[in-house]
Amino acid sequence: MAAVRRGGAKIRAPRRGLTTDVEFTPVWLVLENAFTEIHTKNASKLSFEELYRNAYKLVLKKKGEELYNKVVAFERAWLSTVRALVVRTLSAPLLIGDEVIGRTLATTNERREAGEKFLRCLKQAWEEHNTCMGMLTDVLMYMDRVYCTDHRKKSIFAKSMDVFRDEILRTEFRQEMPALLEVLRRVVLDQIQMARDGEAVDPFAIKANVYMLEALYRSEQEVEDEKLYLRDFEAEFLLQSREFYRDEGERLLKESDAGTYCHHAKRRIDEEGDRCRTTLSESTTPKIQTVVEDELIRNKMKGLIEMESGVAFMVDNDKLHELGLVFELEARVDPRKPELTKAIQRIVMEMGAAINNAAVAASEAAPTTEAVAPAEEQEEGGKKAAPAKTINAQTLAALKWVAEILALKDRFDAICRQAFASDQVLSTALNRSTADVINSFSRSSEYISLFIDDNMKRGIKDKSEAEVDALLEKSIVVLRYVADKDVFETYYKKHLCKRLLLKKSQSVEVEKLMISRMKVELGNAFTGKLEAMFKDMTLSEELSNGYRKHVAGMQRDDGGTGGGAKAAELSIKVLTSMTWPLEAFRSGVDGEGMDGGNGKGGRVEILLPPEIRRVKEGFERFYAQKYSGRRLTWQNNMGDADVKARFPSSRHAVHDVNCSTYAMLILLLFNNDDAHGARLGGREMTLEEIEAATNIPMDDLKRNLQSLAVAPKTRFLVKEPMSREINAGDRFRWNEGFTSKFMKIKVGVVSAGNKVEGDRERRETEKKSNDSRGFAIEAAVVRVMKQRKELPHAQLLGETITQLSHQFRPDVGMIKKKIESLIEREYLERMEEAAVPSYRYLA
Amino acid sequence: MSGPTDVLREGFAETGEFSDFEIVCGPYTFKVHKAIICAQSKYFRAPCSKFAESDKRTIELKAIGDGEGDEACDDPDAIKLMIDFFYNLDYVAEPLEPSPVPRRLAATSAPSPLPPEPDVVPSVLESQPVEDASGFYVPKRTKKKGKKAIQAGNNTVMHAKVFAAAVKYQVFALQELAATKFASATETSWNHTKFAEAARIAYTTTVEEVRELRDAVGRAIHEHPELLDKLSIETAVKDNAALNYELLRMARGMPAIAENRVIDEGLKCAECGTWLFYEECNPCKGEYRGCCGTCSNPNCLLEL
């Protein structure tokens, strides 16, 4: 091509050339001399006025263009001498240090010194060029303003920069050698590499050269992203850094532990940032940081976390600072911190699973211990082994589980707070994992309720208000995660019921506090029934007091005629039937109806001795006066009684015996002075006779008899034959020789504490809760449909789940069944015409 | 009302107090302040900080007649006005003497193509009785009221000189002001004898790309062709080829300079500026952009 073009364009003798001009040459010589002086730093001798005037004159005489070209040529010539100076500083270590031959030929130190010498020389050349061109620009100001502007020429300063670039940086100075720009790049990269290896390099020498590269452009057009720095240096620098950090990261992962790695990575990032400030350009900071972050963090995070000394190790050993580093590193590259989040969640899940498994193991081991526990109890039934004191292995497991879950949560909360700067993403992830752990454990609701129960009964004794408060808070914390709040409610009601009725609770105040906290946390609907239970308790108290007064009043009226002085006192609790989970007291007896069910289940009424019956009827009359239209159902199995008993051989004349209502009835049969005893013909009765005389259900009867005739400390009766089990045909009589050093004796009844449910109980609870869930689902579906009238299936499911989510996690299958059932009962109908399966509400 | 310029003028310009630099031109020595002059003129920054002048704290601006070839030197009075401008943001040129009564060379009885010249007052001014009867402004400083009225006077010569100094010393505000004053003075005083001198100065002290004065002169001669009868104008036009050319263009109804100049001389060397003879490129028929081949341009396309 070049040849063709050469042939095509003939150059003729120039018509207006640079022939010596009488006007131009003398003036130019003055200027040229002055420029030489300026470049050799003798400017202070020169008269600015004269130079400016001369340059002005040339431009005025239309010699602007010639002047401009002359100046450029002058600079070109000058800079080529400067180039020679710079090239002279290129010493052997730099020249042999290229990639082909390898860097090993010269020691680092030699290379560093040679490099610095070169950089300083180039820096000086650049700075002098700038200074001189500044002065030339002053002198040639008129030319710049008038000639360059009007002829669209670059200012002489900008032009001289191009000349500098071409003459100094781009001109090949020796055969087979790269131009100085390439040398400069290699030297700077080498120096940076040395700095990374810990050598002390001169940042100013490099920085000055970077300034130079930033001021020069690749082409005549000064396009911002065509800067030499960006195009000829930065890209190479980033590439080299990426390789370096990729290797370093891999090496570190192999050689050191995670903590060291984090420290190192953080240091490297800071270092590179500092390097950009002091040595390179600020504009590179984000780019090089991305490179380091990519190579040391983003691509290595997974490996780092999964290292032997990774996150799991740090958590195990409470290395909060290092966890903080990991967090900081990953936060740098991704605000969502996916790897760390995943790792932490996995650890929480593992630890949680361990806790859950331990609890399951404990509860599976429980049947054996449970089997032993009652046996022991029975053996030493006579001792006052109060059930409340016997801590069942299951209960222990429950307490342990809650404590461990709390500890787990506390631990990770602390990590999150101290190491993860309470990061939103991580704390959300932690919460979700904690919730998963708690909800993946089928007995969580029950265990939490048990935990509260245990604390209410024993835990809060001798504790300060603040401690109690902390305890309540803990319970709420765990409770917050439970998805099936309805199940928890069932358990809590049951446990609360027992605490209230059996007066096991340490403090009603604390109970109420707990309820109010739940109210804040779970809403009114949740605590409504629990509050109703407390209300019943208060009302019952008033009722009992009222009745006592009423009785006292009657006695005064009677004037003691009817032997009323001996009337037993009555403390009564009237419970609203739907509120109280009374089945909790059924002790798991199959098919056992509530006794005193007024013949509903075909059961006969408990036979009460007359003095007791009188009290009962008296109260019924009193109650009917107060509240008409209400019917009382007596729960004799839940009552207890204080009885005074006399044993001839005992140390005390009279013993105060506290026992269950049933035990009282049994004891009354053997009352010496009593008409019943006489009527029943003496002091010996068989099991069947007792049953006939009292109508106590056989199961309760047996248990009470066990307490009265087997347990050594409360053996008021003697059983024939003497054995642990109560069998048909066993005979009982009064134990005349009973003796005890205590005046007050409490008769325990086997199994009354709140224990973890047995399997059968659990199935029942589940069934019940499923039933109640069924109702809740139906109600929710109807509510939704009533509002929407028509709704596609998927949307109905969604809305129903949302509505119920604060109570429990509804099972989709169950919702479908309930929808079917609602359709059968004609609450809803399928919309045949709809494109997607939809329902219509039938009013 | 004392604005910052009043304070400057009254405080420092008149007394030379706190002066840290001197400007010498012809008979004058001005005690000035670097901060003021460098703010107005980029020119003075260099001598205030570098070169021999900064050591001596003095710059001598060569005056016409100092023996340095006059075209690049300054009129001391124009420099004085420039320095007045630095401190006052305005300047007042001394009014010119009235024109001498012209003599007619052609003593014919034919009616003169020139309008009968009024005694002293230019005809344009007759319709403006506001003007002083003599046709001159009595230079007096008016208080600034809203938009400042331009006090141009009739001294086109001095305005042209001030303009040249403003361009040379890169005082852009003064350049604008002097150009306005020159144009305004030309409108009223084109008929003054000194106008020819002003036209000469306008065409010799600035390059052709600086249009302000040249346009005003060209317009005046174009609008008042009778001026061409004047000997002074004839001499001035004949002496200046550029003025000649521009008047020719205007007479042909063309703008004074071409908007799109056709470059028909060939092409310039990209590096050294040597003209190359234009010849169409054989293979591509396109314009050829080349190099003289004798310069050191590394991008040179021709390797002769």
Side-chain angles (χ1 to χ4, degrees):
Chain A
M1 277 304 284
V4 176
R5 188 180 285 173
R6 208 179 296 154
K10 259 188 274 174
I11 304 298
R12 306 232 174 123
R15 295 192 300 171
R16 264 199 313 188
L18 280 179
T19 46
T20 42
D21 188 319
V22 275
E23 276 189 337
F24 182 81
T25 312
V27 181
W28 165 246
L29 284 178
V30 173
L31 288 174
E32 192 179 33
N33 276 333
F35 291 169
T36 314
E37 295 287 310
I38 287 173
H39 279 89
T40 48
K41 296 173 198 155
N42 287 320
S44 59
K45 304 257 186 325
L46 300 169
S47 160
F48 174 73
E49 192 274 338
E50 186 190 355
L51 300 178
Y52 185 89
R53 183 158 41 79
N54 281 319
Y56 170 72
K57 196 191 311 184
L58 289 181
V59 176
L60 210 55
K61 298 272 179 195
K62 294 178 168 274
K63 303 288 183 205
E65 185 167 3
E66 284 173 65
L67 176 62
Y68 187 88
N69 291 331
K70 279 283 187 188
V71 175
V72 172
F74 174 85
E75 278 305 314
R76 197 180 294 288
W78 175 263
L79 287 174
S80 70
T81 65
V82 173
R83 180 182 66 224
L85 284 176
V86 177
V87 167
R88 217 171 297 155
T89 62
L90 288 177
S91 48
L94 292 179
L95 298 180
I96 57 176
D98 66 7
E99 280 94 299
V100 185
I101 309 172
R103 290 191 171 136
T104 45
L105 285 183
T107 66
T108 313
N109 216 25
E110 281 169 351
R111 240 169 46 236
R112 198 193 69 227
E113 280 173 8
E116 281 177 2
K117 202 169 141 212
F118 167 73
L119 291 174
R120 287 196 190 117
C121 183
L122 199 52
K123 161 180 183 249
Q124 198 189 348
W126 167 253
E127 283 167 359
E128 281 175 7
H129 178 70
N130 267 289
T131 316
C132 293
M133 283 321 296
M135 295 177 89
L136 257 62
T137 300
D138 288 337
V139 170
L140 301 170
M141 203 189 302
Y142 191 77
M143 181 185 81
D144 267 344
R145 163 124 183 91
V146 174
Y147 167 74
C148 296
T149 319
D150 291 332
H151 291 80
R152 297 204 182 80
K153 287 269 190 180
K154 274 184 166 187
S155 76
I156 192 68
F157 189 88
K159 178 71 186 168
S160 82
M161 293 298 137
D162 291 346
V163 174
F164 185 93
R165 176 198 63 210
D166 294 338
E167 280 300 317
I168 304 267
L169 295 179
R170 282 196 177 156
T171 304
E172 257 185 44
F173 58 90
R174 207 175 295 169
Q175 288 273 304
E176 310 282 313
M177 283 296 292
L180 281 180
L181 181 59
E182 172 67 24
V183 174
L184 171 66
R185 182 171 68 206
R186 283 193 205 164
V187 168
V188 173
L189 289 181
D190 194 30
Q191 296 270 322
I192 288 172
Q193 194 51 54
M194 288 179 207
R196 282 180 185 148
D197 293 341
E199 296 273 329
V201 300
D202 178 5
F204 302 108
I206 303 176
K207 182 87 177 168
N209 282 286
V210 166
Y211 277 139
M212 174 178 80
L213 294 177
E214 278 191 310
L216 297 177
Y217 295 85
R218 276 199 130 184
S219 58
E220 312 296 304
Q221 287 79 40
E222 302 187 347
V223 189
E224 197 55 29
D225 51 0
E226 288 276 294
K227 282 179 178 173
L228 284 188
Y229 176 75
L230 293 178
R231 301 292 300 268
D232 284 290
F233 176 76
E234 196 185 56
E236 189 70 21
F237 167 68
L238 294 177
L239 205 69
Q240 185 225 36
S241 304
R242 189 173 288 279
E243 267 169 35
F244 171 75
Y245 283 115
R246 184 183 303 133
D247 294 349
E248 182 175 80
E250 273 160 21
R251 188 163 45 76
L252 276 174
L253 273 188
K254 270 185 223 128
E255 288 173 5
S256 61
D257 60 277
T260 318
Y261 186 93
C262 293
H263 280 293
H264 188 82
K266 188 167 154 41
R267 206 190 72 221
R268 282 301 198 191
I269 290 170
D270 292 346
E271 251 178 37
E272 290 299 338
D274 285 344
R275 178 159 16 258
C276 286
R277 257 190 305 287
T278 61
T279 316
L280 299 174
S281 161
E282 293 268 18
S283 64
T284 307
T285 313
K287 300 180 201 167
I288 184 66
Q289 287 193 340
T290 315
V291 167
V292 186
E293 281 166 6
D294 275 355
E295 292 307 328
L296 286 188
I297 307 174
R298 198 170 282 127
N299 300 345
K300 305 283 194 305
M301 204 65 208
K302 205 160 152 33
L304 175 67
I305 284 171
E306 287 165 3
M307 270 168 95
E308 210 169 290
S309 55
V311 169
F313 174 83
M314 293 175 190
V315 171
D316 282 346
N317 294 284
D318 284 327
K319 301 224 179 265
L320 290 182
H321 178 64
E322 294 179 357
L323 280 173
L325 285 175
V326 175
F327 167 75
E328 217 176 288
L329 289 186
E330 192 166 26
R332 244 169 206 292
V333 297
D334 192 338
R336 288 173 295 116
K337 295 151 284 250
E339 295 295 339
L340 184 59
T341 310
K342 251 192 282 174
I344 289 287
Q345 280 187 310
R346 199 174 56 236
I347 294 169
V348 172
M349 289 305 282
E350 275 168 15
M351 292 175 117
I355 294 172
N356 288 348
N357 289 341
V360 170
S363 67
E364 270 167 10
T368 52
T369 46
E370 219 173 5
V372 175
E376 279 170 0
E377 246 176 80
Q378 283 166 352
E379 253 174 52
E380 14 181 316
K383 294 183 208 161
K384 276 182 60 183
K389 279 185 188 165
T390 319
I391 298 176
N392 177 304
Q394 280 271 24
T395 314
L396 261 183
L399 295 181
K400 188 157 161 273
W401 181 82
V402 173
E404 281 177 355
I405 289 288
L406 278 172
L408 181 75
K409 187 185 153 41
D410 282 350
R411 183 169 181 187
F412 281 93
D413 279 351
I415 289 176
C416 193
R417 208 169 43 247
Q418 290 169 33
F420 302 154
S422 299
D423 181 73
Q424 190 73 43
V425 177
L426 275 162
S427 50
T428 315
L430 268 181
N431 279 339
R432 206 164 38 236
S433 302
T434 314
D436 286 350
V437 165
I438 291 175
N439 288 314
S440 69
F441 184 56
S442 55
R443 297 186 190 173
S444 53
S445 298
E446 184 184 358
Y447 275 16
I448 295 167
S449 179
L450 265 178
F451 171 80
I452 299 173
D453 183 60
D454 187 67
N455 276 307
M456 286 297 183
K457 288 200 291 205
R458 305 178 306 118
I460 59 171
K461 205 189 268 180
D462 310 325
K463 278 201 173 129
S464 73
E465 222 167 276
E467 283 170 317
V468 170
D469 206 51
L471 207 69
L472 297 187
E473 182 56 36
K474 279 182 180 175
S475 325
I476 292 291
V477 162
V478 188
L479 181 58
R480 206 172 283 157
Y481 291 108
V482 174
D484 297 337
K485 303 247 165 39
D486 60 334
V487 180
F488 174 78
E489 187 189 354
T490 314
Y491 284 112
Y492 193 79
K493 243 159 73 180
K494 205 154 95 184
H495 293 153
L496 178 64
C497 165
K498 284 196 189 174
R499 284 205 296 281
L500 290 179
L501 295 184
L502 301 179
K503 300 194 190 81
K504 290 284 167 53
S505 195
Q506 288 286 343
S507 156
V508 179
E509 283 310 304
V510 178
E511 291 277 8
K512 286 185 174 161
L513 215 58
M514 187 76 213
I515 301 289
S516 68
R517 280 186 178 236
M518 289 187 190
K519 194 174 187 169
V520 171
E521 201 62 39
L522 309 169
N524 278 333
F526 183 82
T527 51
K529 283 185 180 171
L530 301 179
E531 280 175 283
M533 286 164 77
F534 279 98
K535 211 160 147 197
D536 277 355
M537 292 304 284
T538 326
L539 278 178
S540 302
E541 187 106 345
E542 283 167 17
L543 212 54
S544 295
N545 287 339
Y547 178 64
R548 209 168 291 134
K549 274 183 205 141
H550 170 75
V551 171
M554 281 207 326
Q555 277 171 352
R556 259 201 315 281
D557 294 349
D558 287 358
T561 43
K566 285 189 88 184
E569 281 194 12
L570 180 68
S571 167
I572 197 92
K573 295 196 173 59
V574 181
L575 312 179
T576 315
S577 61
M578 282 313 286
T579 315
W580 295 73
L582 296 178
E583 68 279 12
F585 289 88
R586 283 188 337 199
S587 319
V589 177
D590 266 358
E592 178 80 39
M594 301 297 265
D595 61 315
N598 251 356
K600 255 189 202 164
R603 299 301 277 181
V604 277
E605 204 173 332
I606 300 284
L607 293 175
L608 298 172
E611 58 268 52
I612 305 296
R613 195 163 55 231
R614 212 165 53 232
V615 173
K616 176 189 165 190
E617 282 159 2
F619 180 77
E620 276 173 348
R621 274 197 303 278
F622 170 76
Y623 190 79
Q625 270 175 8
K626 259 191 125 128
Y627 306 94
S628 57
R630 291 193 189 179
R631 205 188 63 197
L632 288 171
T633 307
W634 292 83
Q635 305 283 343
N636 289 316
N637 58 330
M638 279 149 63
D640 63 342
D642 289 325
V643 184
K644 289 194 194 306
R646 293 190 181 83
F647 295 97
S649 48
S650 182
R651 192 183 305 176
H652 302 279
V654 179
H655 285 281
D656 283 336
V657 176
N658 175 270
C659 59
S660 70
T661 310
Y662 285 159
M664 174 191 74
L665 294 180
I666 296 164
L667 286 178
L668 283 178
L669 292 179
F670 295 94
N671 199 346
N672 218 4
D673 304 329
D674 193 80
H676 283 276
R679 191 184 49 164
L680 287 167
R683 301 186 174 181
E684 205 166 84
M685 293 176 83
T686 63
L687 180 65
E688 290 74 16
E689 281 169 337
I690 296 175
E691 193 196 1
T694 59
N695 265 350
I696 298 176
M698 184 51 88
D699 197 68
D700 287 329
L701 182 60
K702 275 184 182 174
R703 282 196 292 122
N704 278 292
L705 281 173
Q706 262 182 341
S707 300
L708 294 173
V710 181
K713 287 197 175 163
T714 54
R715 198 174 287 165
F716 303 132
L717 302 178
V718 177
K719 182 169 94 76
E720 298 255 346
M722 187 55 209
S723 69
R724 200 190 288 165
E725 297 302 317
I726 309 287
N727 295 315
D730 282 358
R731 282 160 291 129
F732 300 86
R733 67 186 153 77
W734 183 48
N735 180 7
E736 209 167 346
F738 177 82
T739 172
S740 169
K741 54 187 169 186
F742 302 108
M743 215 209 9
K744 288 190 173 173
I745 300 171
K746 187 167 165 64
V747 181
V749 179
V750 177
S751 102
N754 276 341
K755 290 174 188 168
V756 174
E757 297 176 316
D759 276 349
R760 198 182 51 238
E761 275 180 281
R762 193 183 318 287
R763 270 199 303 279
E764 247 171 68
T765 313
E766 222 162 81
K767 184 173 166 290
K768 247 181 41 178
S769 86
N770 271 348
D771 289 349
S772 69
R773 280 181 184 191
F775 294 130
I777 291 172
E778 283 185 358
V781 169
V782 170
R783 262 199 308 277
V784 171
M785 290 307 295
K786 197 166 188 174
Q787 193 187 357
R788 300 299 180 99
K789 303 299 178 211
E790 289 174 9
L791 207 60
H793 176 74
Q795 218 172 325
L796 176 59
L797 276 189
E799 291 206 17
T800 309
I801 290 172
T802 319
Q803 276 213 0
L804 293 171
S805 65
H806 67 276
Q807 296 176 43
F808 57 92
R809 274 182 307 195
D811 176 47
V812 176
M814 192 189 265
I815 300 179
K816 285 183 185 159
K817 265 188 220 152
K818 290 299 163 189
I819 293 176
E820 289 297 326
S821 133
L822 285 171
I823 290 172
E824 271 171 33
R825 286 179 280 159
E826 298 191 331
Y827 281 97
L828 309 177
E829 67 172 5
R830 281 207 173 77
M831 292 169 64
E832 303 296 339
E833 68 276 15
V836 285
S838 301
Y839 307 105
R840 180 180 293 123
Y841 180 71
L842 300 172
Chain B
M1 288 287 271
S2 73
T5 51
D6 297 319
V7 171
L8 281 177
R9 189 179 62 250
E10 285 153 22
F12 306 128
E14 286 166 10
T15 63
E17 218 177 331
F18 298 117
S19 156
D20 50 5
F21 202 70
E22 278 183 8
I23 298 174
V24 177
C25 187
Y28 300 116
T29 298
F30 307 99
K31 290 188 177 301
V32 296
H33 305 80
K34 287 182 183 178
I36 307 256
I37 61 171
C38 293
Q40 296 272 8
S41 155
K42 265 169 81 184
Y43 172 89
F44 288 105
R45 292 182 196 182
C48 282
S49 58
K50 306 170 216 174
F51 297 96
E53 283 88 347
S54 74
D55 287 345
K56 290 187 261 171
R57 293 166 158 238
T58 300
I59 187 166
E60 190 186 345
L61 305 178
K62 284 280 184 285
I64 295 168
D66 281 357
E68 285 280 340
D70 289 347
E71 64 272 74
C73 297
D74 301 302
D75 183 324
D77 288 316
I79 297 301
K80 179 179 183 303
L81 294 182
M82 178 173 82
I83 287 162
D84 278 356
F85 176 81
F86 287 164
Y87 288 88
N88 295 327
L89 302 181
D90 196 4
Y91 70 92
V92 177
E94 287 291 311
L96 293 173
E97 292 296 312
S99 294
V101 177
R103 286 169 291 123
R104 301 211 180 270
L105 294 178
T108 57
S109 57
S112 166
L114 277 179
E117 189 168 347
D119 291 341
V120 278
V121 185
S123 57
V124 206
L125 291 182
E126 282 180 344
S127 58
Q128 298 173 355
V130 195
E131 300 288 336
D132 188 286
S134 67
F136 309 128
Y137 290 106
V138 176
K140 58 171 187 203
R141 295 184 52 78
T142 49
K143 292 275 176 196
K144 275 180 237 166
K145 255 186 243 158
K147 225 176 174 182
K148 196 172 137 191
I150 296 287
Q151 299 289 314
N154 67 348
N155 200 338
T156 46
V157 176
M158 189 49 73
H159 289 317
K161 287 178 175 174
V162 172
F163 180 82
V167 174
K168 177 178 175 186
Y169 296 113
Q170 320 236 355
V171 192
F172 305 123
L174 179 60
Q175 186 180 334
E176 201 180 311
L177 179 66
T180 317
K181 287 195 181 210
F182 180 85
S184 164
T186 305
E187 274 181 25
T188 59
S189 310
W190 55 272
N191 210 6
H192 195 282
T193 316
K194 289 284 184 183
F195 181 65
E197 166 74 358
R200 192 190 59 80
I201 294 172
Y203 272 79
T204 51
T205 57
T206 55
V207 293
E208 94 186 330
E209 286 81 6
V210 179
R211 295 298 316 165
E212 291 97 321
L213 298 196
R214 291 173 183 235
D215 285 346
V217 170
R219 200 163 50 238
I221 298 178
H222 186 69
E223 284 172 5
H224 307 284
E226 61 269 33
L227 277 175
L228 293 171
D229 280 352
K230 287 190 173 184
L231 182 60
S232 62
I233 297 293
E234 182 186 336
T235 316
V237 173
K238 278 180 174 172
D239 280 354
N240 195 300
L243 177 55
N244 238 318
Y245 172 71
E246 285 176 19
L247 283 174
L248 171 64
R249 285 181 60 91
M250 285 164 84
R252 303 287 301 181
M254 298 160 84
I257 51 166
E259 278 157 11
N260 294 308
R261 199 174 266 153
V262 181
I263 298 177
D264 53 349
E265 288 185 294
L267 288 157
K268 270 181 183 177
C269 166
E271 185 62 15
C272 65
T274 306
W275 285 100
L276 306 172
F277 189 76
Y278 176 79
E279 194 168 275
E280 205 172 60
C281 175
N282 256 347
C284 66
K285 307 280 175 204
E287 254 190 54
Y288 174 67
R289 188 168 176 273
C291 176
C292 66
T294 56
C295 62
S296 56
N297 186 358
N299 303 323
C300 185
L301 295 169
L302 286 174
E303 292 152 15
L304 292 176

